[in-house]
Amino acid sequence: MFLTDYFVFSQPLYSLATGLIFLFEFNFLVTTIKRLFRLPSGPWGLPIVGYYPFLKDESYLEFDSLSKKYGPVYSLKLGQHDVVVICDWDHLKLAFADESLLDKPHELFFEGLIKYPSFAEMSGEHWRSHRRLSLHVLRDLGFGTSKMEEAISKEIQQFLPTISEGKVDFFEKLLPSVSNNISILLFGHNFKYSDPFKVDLDHNMDRVNRAFQFAGLSAFFPWLFKLSTFLGIFRMSVAYSHVLAVEGLLQKEIDKHQAESGKSEIDDYIDGYLVEQKNRQNKDENDQVYSMGVLRRNLTAFFAAGSETVTATLAWAMMYLVYNPEYQDKIRAEIAEVIGFDREPVYTDRNRMPFTMAYLNETQRIGSIIAVNLLRRASRDTKIGKYNIPKDTIVIFNLWSIHRDPKLWPEPEKFDPNRFLSEDGSKAVKLPYLVPFSGGKRICPGEGLANVETFLYLVNILQKYRVRCDPDVKLSFEATFGVSRRPKHSPPLIFEKIG
């Protein structure tokens, strides 16, 4: 006996059902055809979900693969969104300069679960206002000056002894140190590595960075993401739980600052934000643009970006130093000539250390830490070259494709710092299509800080240690991809003191 035997279906009901199915299929076909005329060509997907089921965790690899078939600019459907992917430098340059591609998707990173946007999720005047405030406050605090460099150098001297004993998990040791640098700007102080608050903060943020992807489930299926979080399935539910833990910890820092609201000096980003909030309230501008929720979200975004990118970059740098020990010798030769082994390095030393800078540039290229940029949204109809991008289309810059383009980088899979040196090797050359921090007006505001940190950490380490791993360890350069690309298999490293 079949299930249908329990029901009686009339001919009109059959006709209605058939008609509805036909209308659905017809509508899907018409919508798809209209889309083909409005957007660049690209792969077909499935009804409702589009091409999303065919994307894997390493979405940047699939985006790159599709560009080989459909061209450097193509479109695809991801959930309810039309998406245009840009995979070559000529069109990316145009996109960076296009004012209509500065906006962000309407959905938040955790749509339906978190109420407030961070500045990284804002568009228009709200984003510009927070960007102005952030840059103003951070510059007043010494961002990009010798004052900040001195604080980083002091932190590095605290970090170096932690890697000098036996075999160490470099990433695990490095993360609390790098995140201390951004802590000074955000909170006005750093932490001891054993501080329970800092241990919890680093742990939870690290779990978010491992699980979250900008081109992931929450971006294109917010309803499914919300359901999966409720049911506790998929890794995004894990990311969300750790985001809540991070925001709870950050609220404690905010509470401390509010308790000291009578002080006149601005010592950190939280102070500057609270002053701006009070000024707006005094002008009867008490809206949600500068709410406590937004402050927590901004702190989360700054802390994540300020710790993850530098840590991941240096993790790749150590891997390639172990694999190519001759590069350690070259960098150490520059250290001997320019700095010596007694004084601490300073950032201006980079101007006389071309191979060291070339090495860091090549690490950023081949590591492609941010393989896919934060999603953009077209605020109006526009064109990139010959390609139409209709209003509200989501735009993805696949930075991985730029950094692995054989037209720009001969033998792109080969790690070769010499590609960033002048012909005589006397100068480091920063090629314009090295874009590890994206570009245009929405370039990562922490680019300058990250460059100072990566230089000072690398040079300080090689000034004092030779880096190696056990000779029987086979290095793997596979990556794991969350917020950033990290080494998937990082062997324990051995840091041998020099002299």
Side-chain angles (χ1 to χ4, degrees), residues 14-64:
Y14 273 117
S15 299
L16 177 61
T18 303
L20 289 174
I21 293 171
F22 173 78
L23 285 174
F24 176 80
E25 293 178 345
F26 180 76
N27 181 66
F28 173 73
L29 184 61
V30 169
T31 302
T32 301
I33 292 173
K34 287 174 64 178
R35 175 176 165 269
L36 291 176
F37 280 103
R38 295 171 64 232
L39 292 161
S41 62
W44 286 61
L46 302 173
I48 301 176
V49 295
Y51 196 81
Y52 190 85
F54 305 106
L55 293 182
K56 299 178 181 179
D57 283 346
E58 294 80 17
S59 57
Y60 59 92
L61 294 178
E62 182 65 19
F63 292 146
D64 185 65

Side-chain angles (χ1 to χ4, degrees), residues 8 108 123 171 185 294 403 474:
V8 177
L108 304 182
S123 302
F171 196 101
L185 291 171
V294 172
H403 291 156
K474 185 176 181 180

Side-chain angles (χ1 to χ4, degrees), residues 323-378:
Y323 190 73
N324 302 282
E326 67 275 17
Y327 293 152
Q328 294 190 49
D329 297 335
K330 288 188 175 183
I331 295 173
R332 199 170 289 112
E334 288 189 333
I335 292 172
E337 180 181 350
V338 176
I339 305 168
F341 295 91
D342 295 322
R343 76 166 173 88
E344 294 178 13
V346 294
Y347 191 48
T348 54
D349 291 329
R350 75 190 188 282
N351 297 320
R352 298 171 59 201
M353 300 177 69
F355 185 82
T356 302
M357 295 306 297
Y359 183 86
L360 287 171
N361 287 339
E362 178 68 347
T363 301
Q364 291 180 330
R365 181 198 70 84
I366 206 164
S368 288
I369 306 303
I370 306 301
V372 176
N373 74 310
L374 277 69
L375 305 183
R376 305 281 187 97
R377 175 178 59 85

Side-chain angles (χ1 to χ4, degrees), residues 99-120:
E99 295 276 330
S100 64
L101 297 182
L102 292 176
D103 280 7
K104 292 295 181 174
H106 295 297
E107 296 84 3
L108 304 182
F109 291 155
F110 296 91
E111 180 66 26
L113 295 172
I114 287 183
K115 180 180 178 181
Y116 301 98
S118 69
F119 72 96

Side-chain angles (χ1 to χ4, degrees), residues 430-497:
K430 182 69 177 290
L431 299 172
Y433 32 87
L434 176 66
V435 285
F437 300 94
S438 191
K441 289 187 177 180
R442 293 208 78 142
I443 192 171
C444 174
E447 177 183 13
L449 175 63
N451 287 333
V452 173
E453 289 182 275
T454 52
F455 176 82
L456 291 179
Y457 273 90
L458 179 73
V459 175
N460 269 284
I461 290 171
L462 294 185
Q463 186 186 46
K464 293 178 171 59
Y465 303 103
R466 289 185 177 87
V467 189
R468 66 178 181 86
C469 65
D470 281 339
D472 58 342
V473 172
K474 185 176 181 180
L475 290 178
S476 168
F477 291 93
E478 285 185 86
T480 180
F481 184 51
V483 166
S484 74
R485 288 185 75 251
R486 304 176 175 186
K488 188 174 184 178
H489 307 288
S490 298
L493 299 182
I494 301 167
F495 293 83
E496 296 177 337
K497 286 188 177 180

Side-chain angles (χ1 to χ4, degrees), residues 73-328:
V73 180
Y74 62 89
S75 69
L76 66 166
K77 193 82 170 179
L78 294 177
Q80 64 181 341
H81 292 288
D82 288 328
V83 178
V84 167
V85 185
I86 299 176
C87 295
D88 76 324
W89 175 239
D90 288 340
H91 292 93
L92 185 61
K93 281 189 299 184
L94 299 175
F96 281 161
D98 195 323
E99 295 276 330
S100 64
L101 297 182
L102 292 176
D103 280 7
K104 292 295 181 174
H106 295 297
E107 296 84 3
L108 304 182
F109 291 155
F110 296 91
E111 180 66 26
L113 295 172
I114 287 183
K115 180 180 178 181
Y116 301 98
S118 69
F119 72 96
E121 300 160 271
M122 292 178 180
S123 302
E125 185 52 39
H126 289 177
W127 163 67
R128 293 183 180 88
S129 176
H130 278 271
R131 183 173 180 270
R132 283 193 300 268
L133 173 69
S134 300
L135 293 176
H136 175 72
V137 171
L138 295 178
R139 284 170 181 164
D140 284 352
L141 294 172
F143 187 79
T145 68
S146 59
K147 179 181 177 181
M148 188 66 212
E149 183 182 334
E150 289 169 7
I152 294 170
S153 294
K154 184 177 180 180
E155 170 56 40
I156 292 174
Q157 299 312 310
Q158 179 184 213
F159 160 73
L160 289 174
T162 69
I163 61 173
S164 63
E165 297 181 4
K167 302 174 184 178
V168 300
D169 182 329
F170 181 70
F171 196 101
E172 183 180 280
K173 293 288 187 182
L174 181 65
L175 179 60
S177 177
V178 172
S179 62
N180 256 349
N181 296 322
I182 194 65
S183 295
I184 293 171
L185 291 171
L186 298 180
F187 314 136
H189 61 88
N190 59 6
F191 300 84
K192 293 182 178 179
Y193 300 149
S194 59
D195 188 312
F197 176 92
K198 183 65 166 14
V199 171
D200 283 349
L201 185 58
D202 285 335
H203 168 77
N204 282 288
M205 185 57 73
D206 182 52
R207 292 303 175 269
V208 174
N209 289 334
R210 288 175 185 271
F212 183 74
Q213 291 188 0
F214 296 120
L217 187 69
S218 65
F220 301 109
F221 298 95
W223 60 271
L224 181 57
F225 165 63
K226 188 174 181 179
L227 177 62
S228 69
T229 303
F230 176 76
L231 296 176
I233 58 176
F234 301 140
R235 68 181 187 177
M236 285 304 302
S237 64
V238 176
Y240 174 65
S241 67
H242 288 295
V243 164
L244 293 183
V246 167
E247 292 201 358
L249 292 166
L250 294 175
Q251 185 61 51
K252 293 180 180 179
E253 278 289 333
I254 295 171
D255 292 342
K256 291 179 184 177
H257 283 69
Q258 287 183 303
E260 303 171 350
S261 58
K263 69 178 185 180
S264 57
E265 294 184 358
I266 294 177
D267 296 325
D268 51 57
Y269 174 75
I270 297 178
D271 283 342
Y273 187 101
L274 294 176
V275 167
E276 176 67 15
Q277 184 187 58
K278 186 175 181 180
N279 289 340
R280 292 173 70 92
Q281 290 172 349
N282 291 338
K283 296 177 182 177
D284 293 326
E285 297 180 12
N286 186 17
D287 54 22
Q288 294 299 306
V289 180
Y290 280 85
S291 68
M292 287 300 169
V294 172
L295 174 55
R296 288 194 302 272
R297 300 291 295 126
N298 283 356
L299 290 172
T300 301
F302 274 126
F303 192 84
S307 54
E308 175 68 13
T309 54
V310 173
T311 307
T313 301
L314 288 169
W316 285 116
M318 290 301 116
M319 292 278 286
Y320 282 102
L321 284 175
V322 171
Y323 190 73
N324 302 282
E326 67 275 17
Y327 293 152
Q328 294 190 49

